[in-house]
Amino acid sequence: MKKRQTKPTRRQKEYISGSGLDASGWLVKSEDADCLYLVSRKSGRTAGYQRKRGGAGRMGNLEELKKEYWKVLARTRKSGRISQSVKDKEEERWKQFDGDVVAEALRIHISNYPDYKETYTRGIMRNLKLKKERTGKVGKENAFHGFRQNDYDFDALEKALVNN
């Protein structure tokens, strides 16, 4: 039985706003001690935000990511649990990928696809591996400064302005 989405409380609104989102555009799907799961009012997109003592932010090392990933994934099961053998088999499959690919795939799954099962994460890893082979990078490029910077000789420009 799924719980329906609710309006965020004041504390949740503060957290959502602190994460860089407009609190009025999101509903709370569920919440636990470590994570806040949101649903967009407009698109219906689901997002999960991990809480840290220092506020919102990206998740740390790989072991913390794995722990959070399995906690999020357990929510996809009726029993709310995942057996250790399933975890071991899945983590064995991850060994064919680089550590940065695995970490980024887990971050993507936790934040964007908390309702999907572990097979979806494998697809994310395959795509990130291909992207890394093509571009040499795993994460997204920063679109803000993705342009080629100009090389100006400011001394020459200053002299030209002074002489005019």
Side-chain angles (χ1 to χ4, degrees):
M1 186 167 138
K2 290 190 177 185
K3 181 184 160 194
R4 69 181 220 173
Q5 294 106 11
T6 59
K7 292 180 184 178
T9 64
R10 181 177 180 180
R11 182 183 51 79
Q12 291 168 337
K13 284 180 184 178
E14 290 170 358
Y15 180 78
I16 294 168
S17 298
S19 298
L21 299 172
D22 178 20
S24 64
W26 295 88
L27 294 171
V28 176
K29 183 174 183 179
S30 62
E31 177 181 27
D32 57 28
D34 297 327
C35 221
L36 182 64
Y37 300 96
L38 305 172
V39 176
S40 170
R41 288 180 188 253
K42 291 181 182 175
S43 67
R45 187 185 75 136
T46 306
Y49 289 92
Q50 181 181 17
R51 294 193 173 126
K52 288 207 169 199
R53 278 172 239 146
R58 295 204 74 139
M59 290 160 250
N61 66 22
L62 189 58
E63 291 306 314
E64 287 177 15
L65 275 170
K66 286 180 184 179
K67 184 178 177 186
E68 181 62 26
Y69 173 77
W70 293 119
K71 190 186 300 185
V72 167
L73 215 60
R75 300 169 69 84
T76 65
R77 308 297 205 272
K78 284 184 180 180
S79 66
R81 295 179 293 208
I82 298 177
S83 71
Q84 189 60 43
S85 63
V86 171
K87 292 178 184 179
D88 293 341
K89 286 179 188 175
E90 198 62 32
E91 290 184 20
E92 188 64 35
R93 288 183 180 123
W94 296 349
K95 290 182 181 177
Q96 64 181 325
F97 301 103
D98 292 339
D100 55 343
V101 170
V102 172
E104 185 64 21
L106 296 181
R107 281 187 197 99
I108 290 170
H109 188 109
I110 291 168
S111 63
N112 299 342
Y113 308 103
D115 296 334
Y116 289 57
K117 294 197 176 198
E118 64 273 10
T119 54
Y120 200 79
T121 308
R122 285 186 231 146
I124 296 171
M125 287 181 194
R126 283 192 300 271
N127 290 332
L128 287 175
K129 180 181 176 183
L130 292 173
K131 181 178 180 181
K132 185 176 181 181
E133 290 170 357
R134 276 187 278 121
T135 64
K137 296 180 183 177
V138 176
K140 289 184 178 179
E141 291 184 23
N142 188 343
F144 181 71
H145 62 79
F147 58 90
R148 186 176 159 270
Q149 295 205 353
N150 297 322
D151 293 327
Y152 294 116
D153 184 3
F154 287 103
D155 293 329
L157 289 172
E158 187 178 0
K159 284 181 185 177
L161 285 172
V162 171
N163 292 335
N164 288 335

